[in-house]
Amino acid sequence: QLAAGWDKPWLLSIAAIFHDIAKGRGGDHSDLGGVEVRRFCKQHAIAGEDAQLIEFVVREHLTMSRIAQKADLSDPRVIADFAKRVGNERQLTALYLLTVADIRGTSPKVWNAWKGKLLEDLYRYTSRALGGHAPDPDAEVEARKRDALVLVNMHSLPFEAHKPLWDTLDVGYFMRHDAVDIAWHTRQLSRLVGSPHAIVRARRSPAGEGLQVLVYTPDQSDLFARICGYFDQRGFSILDARIHTAKNGHALDTFQVVTSASPDEYREITSMLENGLAKVITDAGPLPNPSRGRVSRRVKSFPIAPRVTLTPDEKGQRWLLNVSASDRVGLLYCLARVLARHHLNVQLAKIATLGERVEDTFLIDGPELQHNKKQIEIETELLEALAA
């Protein structure tokens, strides 16, 4: 719809030609490409806003994808900073269109419905901010609660059936989940609040691809690793994880996963997953060894040097862990085992697979992150896990 309403398609065509033109020259190819396209515009009498837009899109062509796939889009500061960087709605739309085309044009393996949803969410939130609607967490939470109640009431739940669950949840939960997810969680858990047993529910993902999995259980230190281990053993790939600890000490986690199985098999897979994952969590035995799948020929020929970075937030309470490495079976689970070993809590996980490369982002906290020696130890173990 946005592309059909764009008045000068040739602007995007020029940006597309130049966006990767400086790869391999050394330095930031986005900045170098910006210099090239500015020269081109001068040579061809493209000036004013048109030239500015083309150069902006070339310089920033990786920004929207990075923020959508790595940042916490429920954080109003993330949206406000991106809106300031974009400047206006025309530049936002141009950047969005090129970003989608760039990802989809890279490889059929790189694009999926979940990435599409993340980019669309970022576009909508930023468009609202540029329109003068500054992010208001309290108003946003109330709006999501109202919309969720409308959806809950369509399923004939008893009056105020939502209250036992919602009373255990804080603002962070409502900011990280949209009304559709909140309503689904409420329907599944309203009669099971505080259950001592692990509750697992799965459904076709609203994003249009794969499954959405809900886990509700008394929290335990290695829960994220245990869940990752189950998905690893069963051949599921995790695209996104939203981790929340309720006021009653229960974990309420939501995962987006994909599988090689066809959609016709989802009903059978859903039943297997709900029973199997609940049993793995309840039994709480030793964590299984990671799977050892074959490494692709391309990864063998063009290995990617693993990278790990740990950066604190403004208050130093939560840390952003960025990981980049060659993709392989069991990689996420290997990382989760290291985090569990150091008693680190995962609050958010975003998994980005870019062809043969993975770039994973985790929002984590834990006492060991407050000590430099322990930080170095954690980073070293993560690098060893990536290189194994």
Side-chain angles (χ1 to χ4, degrees):
Q1 291 173 339
L2 292 171
W6 187 261
D7 59 337
K8 295 180 179 179
W10 59 269
L11 295 175
L12 299 178
S13 297
I14 293 173
I17 289 168
F18 278 89
H19 79 290
D20 275 348
I21 205 166
K23 270 192 172 179
R25 295 187 190 174
D28 189 325
H29 77 278
S30 301
D31 289 337
L32 294 173
V35 173
E36 291 282 354
V37 82
R38 189 192 318 140
R39 184 183 301 125
F40 176 89
C41 288
K42 286 180 180 177
Q43 290 170 344
H44 293 79
I46 303 170
E49 291 183 359
D50 289 345
Q52 182 182 339
L53 179 97
I54 294 170
E55 184 180 346
F56 167 80
V57 172
V58 171
R59 286 188 182 277
E60 301 288 343
H61 75 271
L62 298 176
T63 303
M64 192 168 192
S65 174
R66 175 177 54 78
I67 291 174
Q69 295 183 57
K70 293 189 174 186
D72 182 359
L73 301 186
S74 67
D75 186 341
R77 290 174 299 180
V78 170
I79 304 303
D81 289 346
F82 182 59
K84 186 177 179 181
R85 187 164 185 165
V86 170
N88 59 61
E89 185 132 8
R90 184 171 173 76
Q91 294 195 159
L92 170 66
T93 300
L95 187 59
Y96 175 58
L97 292 174
L98 185 75
T99 301
V100 172
D102 188 18
I103 297 174
R104 298 192 70 154
T106 301
S107 161
K109 294 181 181 178
V110 175
W111 178 262
N112 57 48
W114 182 245
K115 286 181 184 174
K117 182 183 184 302
L118 292 175
L119 286 168
E120 185 177 338
D121 287 348
L122 179 56
Y123 176 85
R124 292 184 185 280
Y125 297 156
T126 309
S127 180
R128 231 183 300 166
L130 290 169
H133 301 285
D136 183 343
D138 293 334
E140 185 66 33
V141 165
E142 290 308 312
R144 291 184 187 189
K145 285 181 176 180
R146 284 196 304 271
D147 293 343
L149 279 177
V150 170
L151 296 171
V152 167
N153 291 335
M154 291 171 63
H155 290 78
S156 304
L157 263 67
F159 178 66
E160 293 194 337
H162 65 283
K163 280 187 66 63
L165 177 65
W166 287 17
D167 286 348
T168 69
L169 303 172
D170 59 20
V171 172
Y173 165 84
F174 290 101
M175 285 297 292
R176 285 214 179 125
H177 296 277
D178 60 24
V180 173
D181 289 349
I182 295 167
W184 181 51
H185 294 169
T186 304
R187 293 201 314 273
Q188 300 300 325
L189 301 176
S190 61
R191 296 181 178 88
L192 300 168
V193 177
S195 170
H197 307 293
I199 311 297
V200 179
R201 298 289 184 265
R203 65 173 180 173
R204 290 283 293 269
S205 173
E209 182 180 2
L211 296 169
Q212 189 175 43
V213 181
L214 164 65
V215 176
Y216 183 73
T217 183
D219 202 9
Q220 55 193 73
S221 59
D222 62 356
L223 180 62
F224 181 70
R226 198 167 293 283
I227 294 170
C228 289
Y230 174 84
F231 287 137
D232 175 47
Q233 298 287 316
R234 297 298 183 275
F236 290 93
S237 295
I238 300 173
L239 299 179
D240 188 82
R242 302 187 183 193
I243 314 299
H244 189 81
T245 304
K247 296 173 186 175
N248 61 355
H250 274 55
L252 199 168
D253 303 342
T254 311
F255 295 83
Q256 298 285 340
V257 300
V258 290
T259 172
S260 58
S262 71
D264 295 337
E265 301 174 83
Y266 278 6
R267 179 174 293 184
E268 183 180 335
I269 289 172
T270 296
S271 176
M272 176 200 74
L273 192 157
E274 290 179 345
N275 294 316
L277 181 52
K279 186 174 187 304
V280 164
I281 294 170
T282 302
D283 289 350
L287 292 173
N289 292 322
S291 300
R292 291 294 177 187
R294 291 175 59 190
V295 176
S296 75
R297 190 181 308 169
R298 183 174 176 82
V299 168
K300 285 180 181 177
S301 303
F302 302 101
I304 296 164
R307 275 198 347 258
V308 173
T309 60
L310 259 175
T311 52
D313 65 7
E314 294 172 353
K315 297 179 182 177
Q317 295 175 347
R318 301 191 304 178
W319 292 70
L320 196 65
L321 169 64
N322 287 302
V323 173
S324 178
S326 298
D327 192 18
R328 73 166 195 269
V329 173
L331 182 66
L332 178 61
Y333 178 44
C334 288
L335 300 176
R337 283 163 59 97
V338 174
L339 300 180
R341 198 153 54 237
H342 290 275
H343 308 290
L344 300 179
N345 304 310
V346 178
Q347 299 181 20
L348 190 70
K350 290 201 169 187
I351 316 303
T353 304
L354 309 168
E356 307 297 340
R357 185 175 89 253
V358 292
E359 292 191 356
D360 299 345
T361 303
F362 305 88
L363 195 62
I364 60 177
D365 64 23
E368 292 196 13
L369 291 170
Q370 305 304 321
H371 307 284
N372 288 337
K373 187 177 178 181
K374 283 292 184 182
Q375 286 176 32
I376 295 169
E377 191 177 314
I378 292 164
E379 289 178 342
T380 302
E381 289 185 29
L382 288 170
L383 284 169
E384 289 172 352
L386 293 172

